Amino acid sequence: MFVLDHHGHPLDPCHPARARRLPAAGRAVVHRHTPFVIRLKDRDAATSTVEGVQVGIDPGSKHTGLAVFTDDGGSRSGKYAIQLDHRGRAIRDRLSARAALRRGRRSRNLRHRAPRFLNRTKPKGWLAPSLRHRVDTTLSWVARLTRWAPVRAVHVERVAFDTHALSAGKPLQGVEYQQGTLAGYEVREYLLATWGRACAYCGASGVPLNLDHIHPRSRGGSDRISNLTLACIRCNQAKNATLVEVFCKGRPALLARILKQAKAPLRDAAAVNATRWALWRALDATGLSVHTASGGRTKWNRSRTGAAKSHTLDALHVGHLENVTTWPSTVLVVKATGRGTYARTRTDRYGFPRLRLPRTKQVKGLATGDLVRAVVPSGKKTGVHLGRVAVRSTGSFNITTRHGTVQGIGHRHIRLLQRADGYGYTTHPETRHRATFPPPPEGGGLHSGGI
């Protein structure tokens, strides 16, 4: 766990058991609940021996792995693991909905505002908000770790995906890079040959066939040939904008065949390719020693140590190393949830206002999203409830725990643990392969990699 001196300067991390004993003995106070950080009362960083730690980063489109470890001559020992879940897809959906509303306003018979498409310039290095979010959240957590631990260096995996080879499903050479999927075909003829001139959902042949998006366009699907299939009129109308997993529910063999024949989308690979240089430049601007490595090096390191495939273990194996002695058995999952919305009006399905939210965010000293602990002594909700709170002006709050939502808990029973910071926190065990897992180290505990 992370340790600070009495001035708030970072010290070397300690074992969780020791971090629990120090506050109980009166030598430390809890500085932060999640991640757990303590502040010592009788220790100063200037008079202490601080060896320092390093941070490994495995950037991804949906998840980014962060690993805090010590390095002793190439021998690494994992101390803390964080999986950062991005909300880039939610941001993209919100921006698409906003664009649709503005497009609708311009086309209706309302007061006219000319579209402003040609008078906006983007600065050099501009990224779409959904991509900028991935860079900013990763940089934000690196900055947090430097406040809680004496970070000496950062190792980041700077991987580049060959999207053309991924789309083809095979290695490409020479002139093959100049030939797309439809080389020698038209779109409809290619689909007819690929799907056997029959409906992909019911198998009907000899009937008029329509082009259908496997992943609906209204839900973020693309017009790539890999996302198109053939459907009869009946199946096309029945599926409409339904996800293929929902439409083929109860028919797992059919779903597996469609997903196998349709190629995976490349949006995740494109997102990583678009943000890798921006992330490196942002990390280099922090003043820390930044080292980059390829994804092939990370995979080779994992094959030598017998580690499983996960974002956090990839982050631990980024760069040059000799071996990895231990790694955490529990991963802190940090999900970006945002900080709410500026809108204070809730509308019905017709767009008319039905509810106005109060201007003040706090009620009885608490705000929605705060991490709280409620101890209810009696009644139907007797027990201890730990989770996120949703406040009401009546003073009767809801608490969302990992077991569900408990409604109607009085504010008198609730104690604040941590203010809302735009993230949700859960934990899960680290991924492991029993067949290739290295033997447990001596004195294996919460932070050991042993079974």
Side-chain angles (χ1 to χ4, degrees), residues 182-367:
L182 299 179
Y185 287 94
E186 295 291 341
V187 174
R188 182 173 290 274
E189 290 299 324
Y190 173 82
L191 292 175
L192 288 172
T194 303
W195 296 94
R197 299 180 180 273
C199 176
Y201 303 110
C202 67
S205 59
V207 298
L209 298 174
N210 295 337
L211 298 184
D212 181 68
H213 291 79
I214 298 175
H215 189 73
R217 288 192 60 189
S218 61
R219 295 175 177 262
S222 66
D223 288 328
R224 291 180 64 240
I225 194 68
S226 61
N227 192 45
L228 297 178
T229 185
L230 297 176
C232 64
I233 297 176
R234 180 181 177 183
C235 291
N236 191 20
Q237 293 178 349
K239 181 175 178 289
N240 199 6
T242 308
L243 294 175
V244 66
E245 293 83 2
V246 178
F247 183 69
C248 296
K249 187 178 181 181
R251 296 181 289 175
L254 175 62
L255 176 62
R257 184 178 68 85
I258 293 176
L259 295 180
K260 181 180 180 180
Q261 199 154 350
K263 299 172 185 176
L266 301 177
R267 67 170 65 93
D268 293 332
V272 174
N273 284 349
T275 57
R276 59 193 180 102
W277 286 105
L279 178 61
W280 177 80
R281 285 191 292 265
L283 291 172
D284 189 58
T286 61
L288 296 172
S289 177
V290 181
H291 308 276
T292 61
S294 66
R297 176 79 191 204
T298 302
K299 184 177 181 179
W300 182 67
N301 289 338
R302 282 195 296 104
S303 66
R304 288 192 301 150
T305 62
K309 169 64 177 176
S310 72
H311 283 285
T312 49
L313 288 179
D314 276 359
L316 180 60
H317 289 78
V318 172
H320 176 75
L321 59 90
E322 296 297 331
N323 66 320
V324 177
T325 57
T326 60
W327 53 74
S329 60
T330 303
V331 176
L332 176 67
V333 181
V334 181
K335 182 178 181 180
T337 59
R339 296 178 179 270
T341 176
Y342 289 105
R344 294 178 49 232
T345 303
R346 296 288 185 265
T347 60
D348 58 13
R349 59 179 179 172
Y350 301 108
F352 293 99
R354 65 174 180 86
L355 178 65
R356 295 189 181 276
L357 301 179
R359 185 178 296 274
T360 57
K361 296 293 185 180
Q362 290 192 2
V363 178
K364 306 296 182 181
L366 298 174

Side-chain angles (χ1 to χ4, degrees), residues 33-34 366-373 386-389 399-400 414-421 423 425:
H33 185 276
T34 307
L366 298 174
T368 297
D370 289 346
L371 181 62
V372 299
R373 183 174 184 266
L386 178 66
R388 297 286 173 180
V389 65
I399 299 179
T400 301
I414 298 177
R415 182 170 67 90
L416 175 66
L417 297 179
Q418 185 171 294
R419 290 291 183 187
D421 59 354
Y423 297 94
Y425 302 94

